[in-house]
Amino acid sequence: MDMETIKKDYSRMNEMQQQAVFCTEGPLLILAGAGSGKTTVLVNRISYILRCGLCNPWQILAITFTNKAARELKERICVSVPEGGDDIWAATFHSVCARILRRFADRIGYTSHFTIYDTDDQRKVMKDILKSMSIDEKILSHRQVLSAISAAKDQMQSPEEMAKEASDKFDSRKISIARAFEQYQTHLKSNNAMDFDDMLLNTVRLFEACPDVLELYQNQFRYIMVDEYQDTNRVQYKFVSMLAAKSRNLCVVGDDDQSIYRFRGATIENILSFEHTFANAKVIRLEQNYRSTKTILNAANDVIVNNKQRKGKTLWTQNEEGDKVTIHTAYDEREEAMFIARTILEKVAQGASFGDVAVLYRMNAQSNAIEYALTRSGIPHRIVGGHRFLDREEIKDMLAYLQVINNPSDGVRLSRIINKPKRAIGDTTIQKIDSIANALGESMYDVIKRAGDYPELSRAAAKLTAFAAMLDGLIEAANSEDYTIAELYDLVLEHTDYKSYLKAEKENADERIENVDELMSNIVNFQEERAEEATLSAFLEDIALQTDLDNLEAGADAVTMMTLHSSKGLEFPIVFIAGMEEGIFPSFQSAYDPDSLNEEHRLAYVGITRAKKKLYLLHTQSRMLFGSTQHNNLSRFCEEISDEYVERTGVKRPNPHITVSESKSSTAAKFDPFALKKSKPSAPAASSSGSFCAGDKVLHKVFGTGLIISAQKMGNDTMLEVSFDKVGTKTLMANFCKMEKI
């Protein structure tokens, strides 16, 4: 079949989509706007490459950011290309790197059975390290240290390089972090373990240290495609660049307007500078949206145009005009939540399903009032980011057994299970084992097996060697290849008698046992999906790389609640975005950082473009958050949407454009006359700075300058409502506010 005949099979796609499919050679940036069919383009581009005979299926690498997206891509490719479609490498960055490292980890000092540490594992290790360094958690927390280490790994910085940089700047705090970083990496290596950042970084270092390995994969992957390229960090960019250096057939798909993960290390510069980084690169823009109504799309365009950090494009659609965007103002967060619940019930009564609805918010703390209202109204709902099945204590225990069987050097998981069920092996004994192992440069497991050789372990030697004997038997079973993963799991349950332990020691024992049994379902499903590739290592790797979104049940008839960050890549007929207020969205911190404010604009754009048919933007006049009452101004993102696309409901807000300050700053607070109508006649307030009255200009040590708009006597104190120039209206008590008149 000739090329022109093949091309006719793609005529159902729009012109720009066809251009992206047919452009197969050289670097290509596909700027794919929200809802523009980027997955369709990726699938058809792969199909076209294979139908034209340009390479074999296994010579194509398609990288995504979630396992769910990878599965969807693979399924659609297999439908489009029945023969060989399953041989394509379609996976996440971490999964691709894990596959490479399982084969060549020995080249950089690991075994192929290395463990992947999750967040809990990292925290436990770092807490122990900081304790050994006599560092007070209140002065330098383990979370802060781990965050700094992750940022360093994103920049490909070693502990030694961090230490030198800190020393040159006489930064004692950074010097301590660098010391902890060094000990952390030493612990990981001795435990044959990697964290998520290591998996990417170690693959790049493998390529740098072993040119033959790099050449092997450069020759294999003739065509490389990367989805969500705007979310890549420096290490991911390096990884992709090294792989594509030989063929130069690198196609990246992304949207600079949806780059919202800077806090995770994502570098928007990767997509903004693509055509400058890769010589002779071509750029194709996909601007036709197939998801949203014209009104919703116009609202999104009105917001994103205010982002100063973008390549520029304007989405358009042939869809219907659609309903106007509703901006609803409620009295407080409870009324906001009840409005959401009432509206959902109305929509369902009109024929919608609960599964059609998403409620989005800037921070998880906002979900409390909303969840309460949905529960009271009998509305089924699910929260993305809640307590995952895999995070339950009993599941982590059982997985720890499997992980130690797979990698006996894993001291973190070994410490978790050594006394579960109880074997009278206390923390003191575990600490002695750890100390001996560190002194000898051996694993804790090796020390336990020879416990009788160490006088300090003599009292516990019999218990320890019995534990080691049990593990030896399970490890032998795993290595024999006579048992499936499911059969091995049954052996673990039998030899540990873990279910009896739950019955004797734990509340809700029946529920916990059901969870332990349910893990078997995960194992059986994995075996059925992977067939001959269903090894214990592969199963544990699959579990380690799962996210909340990977487990989001498709088609469930329940309202979905999630943060705006979690919503990217999803779509719903009806979307509510709660807390559209200055100080919440955009966040207070972003108001003073242009880069952060640009990202908040992108986050608003992402939220708006999740909606297909109807969008509600919600704001309150008074909000209780973190135990404090706030009176925030309407979000600038709402103000940026043209009136022709908006209908306003709820509490009236008279003339919200009157400003308190004469400052020309874009973050100036806006005066809300409604607050004056609610207040009682002002009364003077005694304080260390003298009496406060409505109309006084004041200076606060934290919030800056402002104007008192009401003062209400309350016992021996006075409650002040102060409209600050930069942070909006705050409610303060005069005797404790540390504020002075100016």
Side-chain angles (χ1 to χ4, degrees):
M1 190 180 294
D2 62 80
M3 292 284 195
E4 291 305 315
T5 302
I6 293 174
K7 285 184 176 181
K8 287 180 181 178
D9 290 341
Y10 300 90
S11 59
R12 65 192 180 282
M13 306 176 76
N14 68 45
E15 181 183 351
M16 301 310 293
Q17 288 177 329
Q18 289 183 53
Q19 283 189 33
V21 168
F22 301 150
C23 180
T24 60
E25 307 305 304
L28 171 65
L29 167 60
I30 302 174
L31 277 177
S36 61
K38 67 183 175 82
T39 305
T40 297
V41 169
L42 274 176
V43 170
N44 282 279
R45 189 171 188 271
I46 292 170
S47 164
Y48 179 74
I49 288 170
L50 292 176
R51 291 182 66 190
C52 291
L54 299 178
C55 72
N56 296 304
W58 50 269
Q59 292 179 300
I60 294 176
L61 172 62
I63 302 177
T64 67
F65 265 79
T66 67
N67 292 312
K68 182 181 178 184
R71 285 196 298 269
E72 180 188 352
L73 185 63
K74 193 76 170 275
E75 289 167 2
R76 291 178 62 174
I77 290 170
C78 288
V79 170
S80 179
V81 188
E83 292 185 13
D86 201 46
D87 294 329
I88 291 164
W89 281 46
T92 65
F93 272 105
H94 287 101
S95 295
V96 171
C97 289
R99 190 167 173 180
I100 294 170
L101 289 170
R102 292 290 177 202
R103 185 176 176 186
F104 292 106
D106 62 309
R107 298 283 200 98
I108 54 172
Y110 292 83
T111 78
S112 61
H113 293 286
F114 63 84
T115 295
I116 302 171
Y117 275 7
D118 63 18
T119 304
D120 286 343
D121 299 323
Q122 291 177 270
R123 288 173 179 168
K124 183 182 185 305
V125 171
M126 187 51 66
K127 283 180 179 179
D128 290 343
I129 289 172
L130 294 180
K131 185 177 180 180
S132 72
M133 293 172 63
S134 299
I135 293 177
D136 190 337
E137 179 82 13
K138 295 178 182 176
I139 296 174
L140 184 60
S141 73
H142 68 280
R143 294 175 187 270
Q144 292 171 322
V145 177
L146 287 171
S147 177
I149 290 174
S150 181
K153 289 182 178 180
D154 280 349
Q155 295 301 313
M156 304 178 66
Q157 186 181 49
S158 68
E160 295 76 20
E161 289 168 337
M162 179 189 279
K164 184 179 185 306
E165 179 185 289
S167 180
D168 291 344
K169 295 180 179 178
F170 303 101
D171 187 338
S172 59
R173 178 185 176 86
K174 199 69 171 282
I175 289 172
S176 296
I177 293 174
R179 285 173 53 212
F181 186 5
E182 183 178 13
Q183 291 190 39
Y184 176 71
Q185 290 306 116
T186 299
H187 175 94
L188 287 172
K189 196 71 175 286
S190 65
N191 282 266
N192 192 30
M194 302 183 197
D195 62 22
F196 289 110
D197 294 319
D198 283 327
M199 295 178 68
L200 297 165
L201 188 55
N202 283 339
T203 306
V204 169
R205 287 177 174 163
L206 169 67
F207 287 166
E208 291 174 335
C210 307
D212 60 315
V213 176
L214 173 60
E215 186 178 15
L216 174 71
Y217 286 104
Q218 284 178 335
N219 290 336
Q220 175 175 339
F221 298 127
R222 296 279 307 280
Y223 293 91
I224 300 171
M225 282 161 257
V226 183
D227 195 10
E228 305 288 5
Y229 190 67
Q230 76 281 348
D231 294 332
T232 54
N233 60 25
R234 182 180 174 185
V235 183
Q236 290 162 335
Y237 159 77
K238 180 76 171 177
F239 170 73
V240 169
S241 299
M242 294 177 82
L243 280 181
K246 194 167 187 178
S247 72
R248 297 192 76 250
N249 293 331
L250 172 63
C251 168
V252 302
V253 185
D255 183 0
D256 53 315
D257 288 335
Q258 295 188 70
S259 178
I260 60 173
Y261 296 123
R262 190 166 72 122
F263 67 97
R264 293 182 188 167
T267 307
I268 192 174
E269 286 74 18
N270 286 351
I271 193 168
L272 294 178
S273 63
F274 182 85
E275 58 264 51
H276 303 296
T277 306
F278 297 93
N280 302 315
K282 186 171 183 180
V283 180
I284 296 175
R285 286 173 166 79
L286 304 183
E287 298 176 300
Q288 183 174 357
N289 176 282
Y290 293 92
R291 176 188 299 157
S292 305
T293 64
K294 285 186 172 72
T295 298
I296 291 172
L297 216 53
N298 288 332
N301 287 331
D302 279 354
V303 171
I304 199 61
V305 75
N306 293 283
N307 169 22
K308 309 302 180 188
Q309 203 176 34
R310 63 192 298 253
K311 298 180 80 71
K313 63 181 177 304
T314 302
L315 294 188
W316 61 276
T317 185
Q318 293 180 342
N319 292 343
E320 62 183 356
E321 201 73 32
D323 295 340
K324 288 190 174 185
V325 174
T326 297
I327 297 179
H328 180 82
T329 303
Y331 284 110
D332 57 25
E333 75 281 357
R334 289 167 297 181
E335 200 278 329
E336 174 188 62
M338 287 309 298
F339 171 81
I340 292 173
R342 285 196 308 271
T343 307
I344 290 173
L345 292 175
E346 289 171 5
K347 292 293 182 183
V348 170
Q350 294 166 8
S353 69
F354 291 115
D356 289 339
V357 182
V359 182
L360 312 180
Y361 31 81
R362 179 64 179 82
M363 60 185 94
N364 278 310
Q366 293 172 251
S367 68
N368 186 23
I370 299 168
E371 184 180 10
Y372 182 71
L374 297 188
T375 301
R376 284 188 63 189
S377 301
I379 296 174
H381 56 279
R382 54 187 177 172
I383 302 178
V384 175
H387 196 57
R388 294 194 310 158
F389 173 75
L390 296 174
D391 291 334
R392 299 178 190 279
E393 178 188 5
E394 58 274 14
I395 299 302
K396 291 182 77 71
D397 286 347
M398 296 315 301
L399 288 174
Y401 269 105
L402 295 176
Q403 286 153 338
V404 171
I405 291 167
N406 183 62
N407 173 23
S409 297
D410 188 347
V412 171
R413 271 55 178 267
L414 185 67
S415 298
R416 181 182 184 95
I417 60 173
I418 194 169
N419 207 34
K420 286 186 176 182
K422 290 184 177 178
R423 300 182 176 95
I425 302 173
D427 291 343
T428 302
T429 300
I430 296 171
Q431 289 169 7
K432 288 178 181 177
I433 295 167
D434 190 35
S435 296
I436 295 170
N438 288 334
L440 297 176
E442 297 182 354
S443 71
M444 292 178 68
Y445 182 61
D446 289 332
V447 172
I448 290 170
K449 288 201 292 186
R450 303 193 312 274
D453 296 346
Y454 307 105
E456 52 265 66
L457 298 179
S458 59
R459 294 180 62 183
K463 302 163 193 168
L464 292 172
T465 52
F467 173 65
M470 180 195 69
L471 284 181
D472 279 340
L474 293 171
I475 292 170
E476 184 179 346
N479 293 336
S480 71
E481 299 184 356
D482 293 335
Y483 297 88
T484 65
I485 311 172
E487 290 167 341
L488 181 65
Y489 184 63
D490 274 333
L491 284 178
V492 173
L493 289 172
E494 178 186 343
H495 287 279
T496 62
D497 202 17
Y498 186 80
K499 291 183 182 180
S500 295
Y501 157 71
L502 291 178
K503 288 179 181 177
E505 301 288 340
K506 297 293 183 181
E507 295 180 1
N508 304 321
D510 290 342
E511 181 182 334
R512 291 172 183 266
I513 290 171
E514 287 175 1
N515 290 335
V516 168
D517 290 337
E518 181 59 23
L519 182 59
M520 179 64 84
S521 300
N522 293 45
I523 294 172
V524 171
N525 289 335
F526 180 81
Q527 288 179 167
E528 291 176 352
E529 290 175 6
R530 294 293 186 92
E532 295 178 1
E533 296 179 358
T535 64
L536 178 58
S537 289
F539 171 70
L540 294 172
E541 180 182 301
D542 186 70
I543 288 289
L545 299 181
Q546 283 189 22
T547 67
D548 289 329
L549 291 181
D550 293 326
N551 300 311
L552 191 60
E553 183 185 350
D557 192 21
V559 173
T560 301
M561 296 173 57
M562 64 175 74
T563 64
L564 286 149
H565 281 99
S566 297
S567 71
K568 192 160 79 67
L570 304 176
E571 59 182 43
F572 302 88
I574 304 164
V575 170
F576 296 83
I577 305 180
M580 296 295 293
E581 299 157 26
E582 293 290 307
I584 293 180
F585 190 34
S587 66
F588 170 62
Q589 293 86 350
S590 69
Y592 306 101
D593 177 7
D595 288 343
S596 294
L597 189 56
N598 283 330
E599 181 147 318
E600 292 284 285
H601 268 103
R602 295 193 290 268
L603 187 57
Y605 174 79
V606 166
I608 292 170
T609 54
R610 297 313 92 197
K612 298 169 69 174
K613 299 290 185 182
K614 180 62 184 177
L615 174 66
Y616 295 88
L617 305 178
L618 309 169
H619 160 260
T620 67
Q621 289 196 324
S622 172
R623 182 180 297 276
M624 176 72 75
L625 194 62
F626 307 125
S628 174
T629 300
Q630 303 177 5
H631 302 277
N632 303 314
N633 298 312
L634 181 66
S635 170
R636 70 191 68 195
F637 304 143
C638 292
E639 303 280 22
E640 288 167 354
I641 301 174
S642 301
D643 287 342
E644 62 183 298
Y645 309 130
V646 167
E647 63 173 2
R648 297 176 187 267
T649 62
V651 177
K652 299 288 185 182
R653 300 182 68 250
N655 199 8
H657 297 283
I658 299 175
T659 59
V660 177
S661 171
E662 294 181 359
S663 166
K664 295 182 180 179
S665 166
S666 63
T667 59
K670 294 176 181 178
F671 177 53
D672 184 356
F674 189 85
L676 289 176
K677 291 182 180 180
K678 291 190 295 183
S679 65
K680 296 181 180 179
S682 61
S687 78
S688 58
S689 304
S691 59
F692 289 119
C693 299
D696 286 345
K697 287 187 176 182
V698 292
L699 175 65
H700 190 280
K701 288 187 177 181
V702 176
F703 302 136
T705 57
L707 179 73
I708 296 178
I709 57 176
S710 76
Q712 183 178 343
K713 189 72 174 174
M714 298 187 70
N716 295 323
D717 207 342
T718 302
M719 183 174 70
L720 306 173
E721 280 190 282
V722 187
S723 180
F724 290 100
D725 294 353
K726 293 183 177 180
V727 299
T729 304
K730 300 289 182 184
T731 301
L732 307 171
M733 300 309 293
N735 290 346
F736 302 95
C737 64
K738 296 182 180 179
M739 185 170 66
E740 60 184 21
K741 290 192 287 187
I742 55 175

